[in-house]
């Protein structure tokens, strides 16, 4: 049965791969599953057709047969559970890999999103300059802890897993901030993720969408 995901018709990042369809594309590439992409405009995201699939009117979504999913955590977990390549066979190692997926989304991503929101939406506030270092330090707190845990390992827990896929995807958002480079082992970890052939295919696929001729109408 065909897998169809949704992505922005035009991502605001112009194809830097930061919109969350990239992590779903990456997971599908890692497990070797072909997929189709339905491109959605910002207007269509909030229309009933899309809201029936995604209650919050966002991308990405995942459809296969009569299954419809939203939330990248749930989507990547579903892909990893059904196809070999993203979760270890050993039950305890599998549970730990899933733990890292949750850690990426619940513990590491929130301060990174907060930093992005501050820079995007709060620059004109009188308190912006005062608040920004506090927000940056909350990101540094998490990166320091993560860096300590990763140490000089290639991946978070043995072989590359869905936990790494999610953690690298979350950290990629920091690349332009310079903060990631304060943690050389994390910068190298992200670079290892980006060097994976499956990531490159996913990145190129979203780039092609965002650099093609603008949609008409
Ligand atoms: N928790 C959800 C998940 O993990 O699936 C979050 C999904 C989400 O935030 N989707 C965003 C969306 O659809 C796109 S990825 N937003 C439209 C809306 O809410 O109306 C977030 C995103 C967008 C753009 C960039 N960028 O251009 O740099 C980066 C990330």
């Amino acid at each position: 049965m065909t897998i169809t995901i949704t992505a922005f018709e035009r991502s605001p990042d112009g194809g830097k791969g930061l919109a969350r369809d990239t992590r779903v594309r990456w997971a599908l590439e890692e497990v070797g599953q072909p997929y189709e992409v339905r491109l959605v405009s910002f207007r269509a995201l909030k229309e009933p057709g899309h809201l029936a699939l995604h209650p919050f009117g966002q991308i990405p979504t995942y459809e296969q047969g009569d299954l419809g999913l939203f939330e990248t955590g749930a989507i990547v977990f579903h892909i990893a559970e059904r196809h070999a390549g993203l979760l270890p066979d050993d039950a305890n190692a599998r549970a730990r890999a899933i733990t890292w997926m949750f850690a990426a989304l619940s513990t590491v991503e929130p301060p990174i999103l907060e930093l992005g929101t501050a820079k995007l939406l709060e620059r004109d506030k009188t308190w912006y300059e005062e608040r920004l270092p506090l927000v940056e330090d909350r990101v540094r707190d998490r990166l320091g802890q993560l860096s300590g845990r990763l140490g000089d390992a290639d991946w978070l827990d043995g072989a590359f897993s869905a936990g790494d896929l999610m953690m690298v995807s979350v950290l990629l958002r920091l690349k332009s901030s310079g903060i990631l480079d304060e943690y050389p082992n994390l910068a190298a970890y992200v670079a290892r993720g980006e060097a994976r052939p499956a990531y490159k295919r996913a990145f190129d696929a979203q780039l092609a969408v965002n650099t093609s001729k603008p949609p008409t109408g």
Side-chain angles (χ1 to χ4, degrees):
M1 250 177 304
T2 308
I3 294 170
T4 304
I5 68 166
T6 50
F8 284 138
E9 197 174 63
R10 269 284 179 275
S11 176
D13 72 358
K16 291 198 182 81
L18 299 178
R20 286 181 177 81
D21 57 293
T22 303
R23 57 183 76 167
V24 173
R25 294 174 185 269
W26 185 8
L28 289 165
E29 293 288 354
E30 288 284 351
V31 302
Q33 282 296 304
Y35 62 97
E36 292 182 357
V37 183
R38 192 169 69 254
L39 301 176
V40 188
S41 67
F42 278 96
R43 185 169 42 80
L45 282 179
K46 309 300 178 200
E47 288 174 350
H50 188 74
L51 287 171
L53 188 56
H54 195 310
F56 308 116
Q58 297 182 316
I59 61 98
T61 58
Y62 172 106
E63 290 161 274
Q64 190 173 27
D66 55 11
L67 176 66
L69 297 175
F70 59 95
E71 285 297 331
T72 53
I75 296 170
V76 171
F77 182 51
H78 175 79
I79 294 165
E81 267 206 320
R82 272 156 188 77
H83 306 282
L86 282 172
L87 287 174
D89 290 335
D90 174 77
N92 285 354
R94 198 176 178 90
R96 289 195 303 271
I98 294 165
T99 300
W100 279 116
M101 287 184 67
F102 277 87
L105 294 173
S106 308
T107 303
V108 180
E109 190 166 48
I112 293 175
L113 293 182
E114 185 60 33
L115 178 61
T117 305
K119 287 183 170 178
L120 192 68
L121 302 177
E122 296 173 356
R123 274 184 198 277
D124 59 338
K125 307 292 182 207
T126 53
W127 36 262
Y128 174 73
E129 296 293 344
E130 200 177 350
R131 181 170 185 262
L132 188 64
L134 305 177
V135 179
E136 288 177 335
D137 281 347
R138 284 201 282 272
V139 172
R140 287 190 182 96
D141 284 346
R142 285 294 176 245
L143 296 194
Q145 292 161 327
L146 185 65
S147 167
R149 172 54 82 100
L150 180 67
D152 58 7
D154 279 355
W155 306 114
L156 287 165
D157 192 309
F160 176 83
S161 78
D164 295 297
L165 184 151
M166 203 55 93
M167 192 65 82
V168 168
S169 298
V170 162
L171 295 176
L172 272 167
R173 191 96 175 244
L174 280 176
K175 260 178 89 174
S176 63
S177 74
I179 295 182
L180 194 61
D181 296 325
E182 295 172 23
Y183 305 86
N185 68 334
L186 293 184
Y189 171 65
V190 169
R192 268 192 295 284
E194 290 177 293
R196 291 181 71 83
Y199 177 82
K200 288 185 182 169
R201 288 194 296 274
F203 181 90
D204 288 348
Q206 66 76 37
L207 183 64
V209 169
N210 286 295
T211 50
S212 65
K213 276 207 322 216
T216 52

